[in-house]
Amino acid sequence: MNKITTILKEDMLFETELGNHRVLIDVPPSMGGQDRGPTPPEFFVASLGSCVAALVANYCNSANLDTTGLSVDVTFDKVEDPSRLANVKVMIDLPNAEVNGRKKAILRVAERCPVHETICSMEGVQISLNGDTP
């Protein structure tokens, strides 16, 4: 099983270890954050956008479609009660590709991104404290 570890560094600043990489994650100012890194929801949304971008770029490269200028925007709202992200929208821009008859294929590839598939099929997350089994 894969594992990603997050530790509290100081003053509500967290460092997340992902394999050989480290990322700083901060919290909103209302929780004591100081804008030293993305917030956890931003990091989550970034994983969706980057996953879609990577799969679309890979498909376009194999289909000889121009990926110059490829970008993926993900918009979302943060809502309360319960606190969550809503109205998530992923917009892919391939400004230099002649997509013509490949639009549906590109969208299918994007929808098969593991992050998107996980969000759509997720039944729940188990949370435990100090190694206790939930």
Side-chain angles (χ1 to χ4, degrees), residues 3-58:
K3 181 171 113 174
I4 294 173
T5 303
T6 299
I7 60 168
L8 175 62
K9 295 286 288 177
E10 60 186 48
D11 292 333
M12 297 302 285
L13 178 67
F14 299 86
E15 182 177 78
T16 299
E17 299 175 12
L18 309 100
N20 295 322
H21 309 282
R22 298 185 191 295
V23 178
L24 292 179
I25 298 175
D26 207 346
V27 296
S30 63
M31 293 176 64
Q34 299 173 27
D35 199 24
R36 297 164 289 186
T39 64
E42 290 169 334
F43 199 63
F44 176 77
V45 172
S47 70
L48 173 61
S50 59
C51 186
V52 167
L55 288 181
V56 168
N58 186 61

Side-chain angles (χ1 to χ4, degrees), residues 70-89:
L70 164 67
S71 67
V72 175
D73 291 328
V74 183
T75 60
F76 62 97
D77 294 320
K78 189 160 190 293
V79 298
E80 300 297 327
D81 203 19
S83 180
R84 67 195 182 286
L85 304 181
N87 304 316
V88 178
K89 295 182 176 114

Side-chain angles (χ1 to χ4, degrees), residues 53-111:
L55 288 181
V56 168
N58 186 61
Y59 171 81
C60 288
N61 288 336
S62 68
N64 293 317
L65 295 173
D66 189 350
T67 58
T68 306
L70 164 67
S71 67
V72 175
D73 291 328
V74 183
T75 60
F76 62 97
D77 294 320
K78 189 160 190 293
V79 298
E80 300 297 327
D81 203 19
S83 180
R84 67 195 182 286
L85 304 181
N87 304 316
V88 178
K89 295 182 176 114
V90 178
M91 293 144 294
I92 304 162
D93 188 21
L94 280 165
N96 297 298
E98 297 288 330
V99 295
N100 298 324
R102 296 189 186 258
K103 184 175 180 178
K104 286 183 182 177
I106 292 169
L107 292 173
R108 275 195 308 273
V109 165
E111 289 171 350

